[in-house]
Each structure stands twice: as C-alpha cells, then as structure tokens.
C-alpha cells in the first residue's frame, strides 16, 4: 500500500486531546513585545517571559514552554492596517501584537522525525518505531520559513528514558508509515517543563 510522503518537518501540529477527543482549535491570545527581534513560525514552541509576553523557546532541556504558536495579529507599521500573519516577522514595531497559542497541557501534537539531534542542512527525514511509544524525545531546533511562515522544528529519531527530554511519544502515525516498522511522524505530548506545571513562575 502506498502512503503519503513526509517531505520535511513542519513544527508541532495539534491534532487531538490526550483523552482521544479531537482538538477543537482552541487558542489563547498572548502579547508579543513590540520590536521583539526573533521570528516565530507557525508550529514553533513559545515561552512566557517577564512582562507577560511570549518569545520563541529554544528547543533544549532548559525549555519552559507555554505552548505552540499558531499565528499572530498586529497593526502593520507601514500601512497602519490590522494584519494577520502565519508568522511573527522579527523586529516588527507594533504595540498591539498578539500571538495565538495552543497552551493546553493535554494536547497531542503531530510532529515529523528527522535523523539528527543537531540542526543540519539539508534536513534528513527519519523514523521511529512502535517500540518507541512511551519514550522521551528531543526536539531539533531548525529555523522556519519566511516564505510559508511555517516552522521546521522536528524531533530526533533517538528516543530515551531521559527525564529532561521535553516530549513523550504517545503514538505513531500510520497514515504516513514507510513500512510496518517505520513511522516518520508520531504523536507527542509535553513531558516536563510546561509553564503551567512550573511552580517557580516567571
């Protein structure tokens, strides 16, 4: 049987709740600081910082995610018109910038698997197996595309029991499997470090 091909990573895509019910598209709006100087792409992970704004979260053991970025709105400084974008363009001056964030802790995200724990070019697709369900995985912090506005973060194809890895594999995606044992996409949940579980606060 032929399956669709996963051509590359696309960030974290919310698909359902851990209970099995579909993800209903619920987001919460968070502020982005005017002139924040880093691109944030659709599917990137963001964190809450001092001052109540969100910033792109670096995918490492120290990350403290509040959720996943699904676009933004702001008044365009060039046209003075309300603007909705797939990604946040770095250094945009807008005092009313808002990010749409999937911040629920119990969402399952679909994510692509690549072959290296370090960002490489070109990105090489890989896979996990059914035996990786329940294990923890690292994220790979690839830069997104300003053409599509989409993230390119993914997960590494080496799973482990390491508690500091940010994501846990909950299931494999059978729609795009390349063999009976190879799955280039999996479903993951937050493993640790989510801001709502952080007793220290910002």
């Amino acid at each position: 049987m032929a399956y669709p091909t996963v051509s590359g990573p696309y960030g974290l895509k919310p698909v359902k709740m851990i209970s099995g019910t579909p993800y209903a598209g619920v987001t919460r709006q968070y502020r982005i600081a005017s002139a924040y100087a880093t691109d944030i792409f659709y599917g990137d992970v963001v964190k809450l910082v001092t001052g109540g704004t969100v910033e792109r979260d670096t995918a490492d053991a120290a990350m403290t995610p509040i959720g996943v970025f699904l676009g933004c709105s702001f008044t365009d400084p060039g046209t003075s018109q309300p603007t909705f974008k797939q990604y946040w363009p770095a250094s945009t001056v807008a005092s009313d910038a808002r990010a749409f964030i999937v911040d629920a802790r119990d969402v399952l995200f679909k994510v692509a698997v690549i072959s290296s724990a370090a960002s490489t070019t070109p990105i090489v697709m890989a896979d996990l197996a059914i035996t990786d369900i329940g294990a923890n995985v690292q994220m790979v912090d690839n830069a997104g595309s300003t053409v599509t506005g989409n993230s390119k973060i993914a997960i590494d194809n080496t799973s482990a029991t390491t508690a500091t890895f940010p994501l846990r594999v909950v299931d494999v995606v059978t729609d795009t499997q390349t063999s009976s044992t190879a799955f280039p996409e999996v479903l993951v949940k937050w493993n640790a470090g989510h801001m709502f579980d952080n007793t220290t606060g910002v």
Side-chain angles (χ1 to χ4, degrees):
M1 179 178 178
Y3 295 95
T5 300
V6 183
S7 59
Y10 45 78
L12 294 176
K13 181 178 180 179
V15 292
K16 65 174 70 175
M17 311 305 290
I18 198 167
S19 64
T21 58
Y23 169 66
V26 177
T27 60
R28 191 189 311 273
Q29 292 187 37
Y30 288 86
R31 291 173 174 80
I32 304 173
S34 180
Y36 173 61
T38 300
D39 291 326
I40 312 175
F41 296 96
Y42 190 100
D44 275 352
V45 180
V46 293
K47 62 183 177 180
L48 189 66
V49 299
T50 303
T53 61
V54 292
E55 297 180 355
R56 190 178 189 275
D57 203 356
T58 303
D60 57 26
M63 66 189 306
T64 54
I66 191 69
V68 172
F69 179 88
L70 296 186
C72 61
S73 68
F74 54 87
T75 298
D76 188 293
T79 64
S80 299
Q81 297 299 312
T83 300
F84 293 84
K85 288 190 75 73
Q86 186 90 340
Y87 80 104
W88 167 256
S91 303
T92 298
V93 177
S95 60
D96 61 348
R98 299 289 187 274
F100 303 101
I101 307 298
V102 181
D103 64 354
R105 293 173 294 181
D106 54 349
V107 173
L108 297 185
F109 298 94
K110 184 168 69 171
V111 65
V113 183
I114 64 176
S115 65
S116 175
S119 181
T120 58
T121 302
I123 296 170
V124 179
M125 297 300 300
D127 54 70
L128 290 175
I130 291 175
T131 52
D132 292 300
I133 294 174
N136 299 333
V137 286
Q138 298 185 81
M139 296 178 67
V140 185
D141 204 13
N142 300 300
S145 168
T146 56
V147 176
T148 65
N150 293 332
S151 173
K152 291 186 181 179
I153 63 172
I155 60 168
D156 178 52
N157 67 332
T158 304
S159 65
T161 58
T162 308
T164 54
F165 286 1
L167 297 171
R168 177 162 300 167
V169 179
V170 175
D171 203 355
V172 295
V173 177
T174 57
D175 291 346
T176 52
Q177 66 188 85
T178 54
S179 75
S180 61
T181 59
F183 301 87
E185 295 178 302
V186 296
L187 299 183
V188 296
K189 66 173 287 291
W190 298 117
N191 177 49
H194 191 283
M195 184 60 200
F196 289 161
D197 295 319
N198 181 356
T199 56
T200 302
V202 175

